[in-house]
Amino acid sequence: MASIIQAAKGTKDILPEERQRWHAVERIARELSALYHFDEIRTPIFEHSELFHRGVGETTDIVSKETYTFNDRDSRSMTLRPEGTAGVVRAVIEAGLLNDQGARVKVFYIGPNFRYEKPQKGRYRQHHQFGAEEFGVAEADADVECILLQMGFYRRCGIKDLALRINSLGDAESKQRYRDALVKFLLPAASRLSDDSQRRLASNPLRILDSKDSRDIEAVQGAPPAAEYLSESSAKNLDRAKQLLNKTHVPFSVDGTLVRGFDYYTGIVWEVTASGLGAQNAVGGGGRFDKLVETLGGKPTPGVGFGVGLERLLIALEAQGVTIPTQERPLVWLVAHGDAARDANWELMQTLREAGIRADMDPSGRSVKSQFKLADREKAAWCIVVGDSELANGTVMLKNLASGEQQSVPRDKIVAKLQSP
């Protein structure tokens, strides 16, 4: 007997019994995005590696350690997408969506990303993300709209104990001043940093603020906040974001040490946490990337967006005991007494399905008792029972499996009966 092939490490099958929760969060994401006038975009799961090297940044952990990169049959370097924003930016540039003066583009996406990292609770090497990006508005109003969409998504899913933290890294000049100040602050403690952060000190010092290593956490205590190095316009943008969040009744705190893991972030950044995930409690975040379109070959265009890890969201909901409302239609199970009834049920089942009614049956000729057991196992709401007498009379027996009540219904009226409130 051949050995069983198991799923690759860091991946997880989404089995049929989990489908309702996934369908529910994806439906909420699509419905809410439509209310905010964001259109769906779908990009390939692999891109030319240069896209992520230029866009996300050579010195980020994602590019330097975590990408799945391979050469295709023409020896071109390709990478499975580790995050969604760079591919979306590439797509809107290539499609010419940003060519018009003052063009405003609002898109969302749902799909898998791939990162070679140590698997943890809710962190898989293939994970799924709901994200949104908005282009063409430099003001903080666009940042707040994205935050409102993200927080609204969490609320509609039913997640509790949310905490929103915001910060501003400032424009490119502000960010460079803050980078220099942080390096100056950390240099005396360089030997006490983790090995990764000692390397980051020269290449990407802001990432040290995001380290979960206890040595780095201790070293950054008392580090200067980014707000002290903001330009006047960057400070005004942060104040505007705070004003709008207060006006729209979104609780938040300002965290001067908050950074994001990608080099393209400038300006306002944010992160959302929830209970039920342990120490690694982030469920999503976002920020502004005003230079990314230009970096990837487009016309200078401001941009902002967010990403939500769906696996982590579902784990938090389960830990909090939250059941997501689903919209799955009740299942009708057809039960046949004998071969003639089973043949007739095939026609009836197709009629039900064409009318939009979920329907199934056992096609293998099991006993009536076994057919009812299958209906219970599949969590059917109704059974339609057909035997010789029903065939002769042109009727079916409709049984409510929750109450046990049953009634005879004319065969040509059963669709209307099941569709009635």
Side-chain angles (χ1 to χ4, degrees):
M1 184 175 178
S3 60
I4 297 174
I5 300 174
Q6 297 184 330
K9 183 178 180 179
T11 64
K12 183 180 184 296
D13 298 309
I14 300 171
L15 299 173
E17 59 262 28
E18 301 173 87
R19 75 191 188 284
Q20 289 191 40
R21 298 200 311 150
W22 280 89
H23 288 175
V25 298
E26 291 171 6
R27 171 181 52 79
I28 291 168
R30 289 189 168 91
E31 290 177 352
L32 196 60
S33 296
L35 291 178
Y36 279 69
H37 194 211
F38 282 72
D39 292 321
E40 185 171 8
I41 188 170
R42 302 188 186 193
T43 62
I45 65 169
F46 66 92
E47 302 267 7
H48 292 284
S49 299
E50 182 187 9
L51 174 70
F52 302 112
H53 285 255
R54 284 170 57 187
V56 178
E58 295 274 5
T59 61
T60 60
D61 285 355
I62 289 175
V63 169
S64 64
K65 298 179 180 180
E66 298 174 2
T67 52
Y68 281 88
T69 297
F70 59 95
N71 287 337
D72 67 11
R73 293 182 183 274
D74 288 325
S75 299
R76 292 169 297 205
S77 180
M78 299 289 174
T79 296
L80 297 180
R81 66 180 181 214
E83 58 89 46
T85 301
V88 169
V89 172
R90 190 270 311 148
V92 297
I93 294 172
E94 189 173 346
L97 301 183
L98 303 177
N99 287 343
D100 294 337
Q101 185 68 25
R104 185 178 180 212
V105 176
K106 298 166 65 176
V107 294
F108 78 94
Y109 55 87
I110 300 172
N113 294 333
F114 305 84
R115 296 184 193 173
Y116 189 87
E117 58 181 342
K118 182 180 179 181
Q120 302 175 51
K121 183 179 181 180
R123 290 189 183 274
Y124 299 100
R125 290 176 176 175
Q126 175 180 317
H127 62 277
H128 296 77
Q129 195 171 72
F130 160 49
E133 319 289 356
E134 182 167 345
F135 302 89
V137 178
E139 289 75 20
D141 299 53
D143 305 57
V144 172
E145 181 173 42
C146 286
I147 292 173
L148 291 174
L149 172 55
Q150 184 178 356
M151 299 302 287
F153 170 70
Y154 293 135
R155 286 196 299 273
R156 287 205 176 196
C157 288
I159 196 166
K160 298 173 286 190
D161 302 325
L162 292 169
L164 168 67
R165 296 180 297 138
I166 68 171
N167 190 25
S168 177
L169 304 175
D171 52 27
E173 293 75 19
S174 302
K175 190 175 178 181
Q176 184 60 47
R177 286 198 299 271
Y178 181 48
R179 182 187 186 281
D180 294 342
L182 187 62
V183 170
K184 183 178 179 181
F185 173 83
L186 289 173
L187 271 176
S191 61
R192 302 199 304 272
L193 297 172
S194 67
D195 292 342
D196 280 343
S197 288
Q198 287 185 37
R199 289 191 295 270
R200 291 172 182 148
L201 194 57
S203 60
N204 198 353
L206 267 62
R207 292 292 294 129
I208 300 174
L209 296 172
D210 200 36
S211 171
K212 302 301 185 288
D213 190 293
S214 59
R215 293 167 292 179
D216 301 332
I217 292 173
E218 182 179 354
V220 300
Q221 295 300 311
E228 293 182 2
Y229 301 89
L230 295 180
S231 65
E232 183 178 354
S233 63
S234 295
K236 285 183 177 178
N237 263 347
L238 180 58
D239 287 341
R240 174 66 174 168
K242 290 155 62 176
Q243 174 191 353
L244 289 176
L245 288 172
N246 284 324
K247 188 173 288 292
T248 51
H249 312 292
V250 178
F252 68 94
S253 62
V254 177
D255 182 350
T257 63
L258 177 64
V259 295
R260 301 292 295 156
F262 309 134
D263 283 355
Y264 55 63
Y265 280 123
T266 58
I268 293 171
V269 294
W270 66 88
E271 186 172 84
V272 185
T273 58
S275 64
L277 290 166
Q280 303 290 328
N281 59 352
V283 289
R288 180 162 285 276
F289 45 86
D290 286 344
K291 298 294 183 181
L292 183 56
V293 175
E294 187 177 1
T295 298
L296 295 178
K299 294 182 178 180
T301 306
V304 62
F306 68 83
V308 173
L310 295 184
E311 282 88 353
R312 294 182 65 74
L313 170 68
L314 289 168
I315 289 172
L317 288 170
E318 186 175 11
Q320 294 179 1
V322 176
T323 301
I324 310 174
T326 64
Q327 293 184 342
E328 191 166 64
R329 296 172 180 175
L331 175 63
V332 177
W333 197 268
L334 285 78
V335 174
H337 286 264
D339 292 343
R342 188 166 76 249
D343 289 347
N345 278 354
W346 273 107
E347 182 181 358
L348 178 55
M349 184 167 64
Q350 187 61 16
T351 299
L352 295 174
R353 289 170 172 172
E354 289 176 352
I357 297 169
R358 290 178 70 221
D360 203 353
M361 70 180 198
D362 170 39
S364 65
R366 286 185 175 94
S367 68
V368 170
K369 183 178 180 180
S370 295
Q371 290 178 65
F372 272 107
K373 284 183 177 179
L374 277 173
D376 286 334
R377 191 182 74 182
E378 297 300 323
K379 298 180 174 61
W382 301 90
C383 270
I384 290 176
V385 186
V386 176
D388 291 340
S389 62
E390 284 78 20
L391 288 176
N393 298 330
T395 62
V396 299
M397 186 64 69
L398 179 63
K399 182 174 183 178
N400 184 316
L401 292 183
S403 66
E405 295 178 0
Q406 58 185 36
Q407 58 183 303
S408 179
V409 179
R411 186 183 180 91
D412 60 358
K413 304 293 185 184
I414 188 61
V415 168
K417 177 68 176 178
L418 289 168
Q419 288 179 334
S420 63

